[in-house]
Amino acid sequence: MSALLQQAAATDEQKKSTVALKTFFKITEGWNLKAEQQKILLGDPPRSTFYKWKKGEGPAISRDTLERISYILGIYKALRILFPTEEQANAWPGKPNRDFDGESALAVMLKGSMINLADVRRYLDYMRG
């Protein structure tokens, strides 16, 4: 691959990362998550990387991190469809839910595994019908 193509690919990855992270932080701030909780949802990157990402800097995100953010975006979208106001949609992740054995969806997601994010996403997709 030529140097020019490599540079273009790297720039593309960085742009994708910047947009994905900006959106992730906006959503999770609406959910009132602390930095440590956000870090867990992103797959527990090193602290220095996490804080660079928060500032809009740092390395491009990995495929794993992009997939995690994709689940968060899907969860957010489902909540905005299910609830009439953003306030209700943002409150839902932190509320106890009998379908999660009394835990909140946030508690399930914060167990840290990608499957936990997928479980919450599937649940909401089912609730949407």
Side-chain angles (χ1 to χ4, degrees):
M1 186 183 282
S2 76
L4 189 55
L5 285 176
Q6 287 177 334
Q7 184 180 9
T11 301
D12 217 29
E13 286 300 309
Q14 195 62 47
K15 284 180 183 176
K16 181 171 39 173
S17 295
T18 299
V19 169
L21 287 164
K22 184 178 179 180
T23 305
F24 170 84
F25 287 120
K26 184 169 177 50
I27 290 168
T28 57
E29 286 166 8
W31 293 350
N32 295 313
L33 301 192
K34 295 178 170 68
E36 193 57 38
Q37 293 170 311
Q38 292 171 328
K39 196 168 163 290
I40 291 167
L41 293 180
L42 288 171
D44 206 19
R47 278 179 75 76
S48 60
T49 300
F50 173 78
Y51 284 104
K52 285 178 185 175
W53 285 345
K54 276 197 87 132
K55 289 191 283 184
E57 303 168 1
I61 59 177
S62 68
R63 186 179 206 168
D64 177 81
T65 303
L66 183 59
E67 190 172 340
R68 289 170 172 277
I69 293 172
S70 176
Y71 280 119
I72 296 297
L73 291 172
I75 290 165
Y76 175 80
K77 178 183 174 188
L79 291 172
R80 294 298 290 137
I81 290 168
L82 287 167
F83 293 99
T85 69
E86 187 169 1
E87 183 177 277
Q88 290 172 315
N90 285 341
W92 183 86
K95 293 185 176 187
N97 186 318
R98 69 173 184 262
D99 293 323
F100 295 126
D101 295 326
E103 290 186 305
S104 68
L106 181 58
V108 171
M109 291 187 285
L110 289 174
K111 291 178 181 177
S113 172
M114 182 101 58
I115 196 72
N116 302 123
L117 295 171
D119 287 344
V120 173
R121 170 79 188 268
R122 271 191 302 274
Y123 172 80
L124 288 168
D125 287 346
Y126 172 78
M127 296 306 288
R128 281 185 20 209

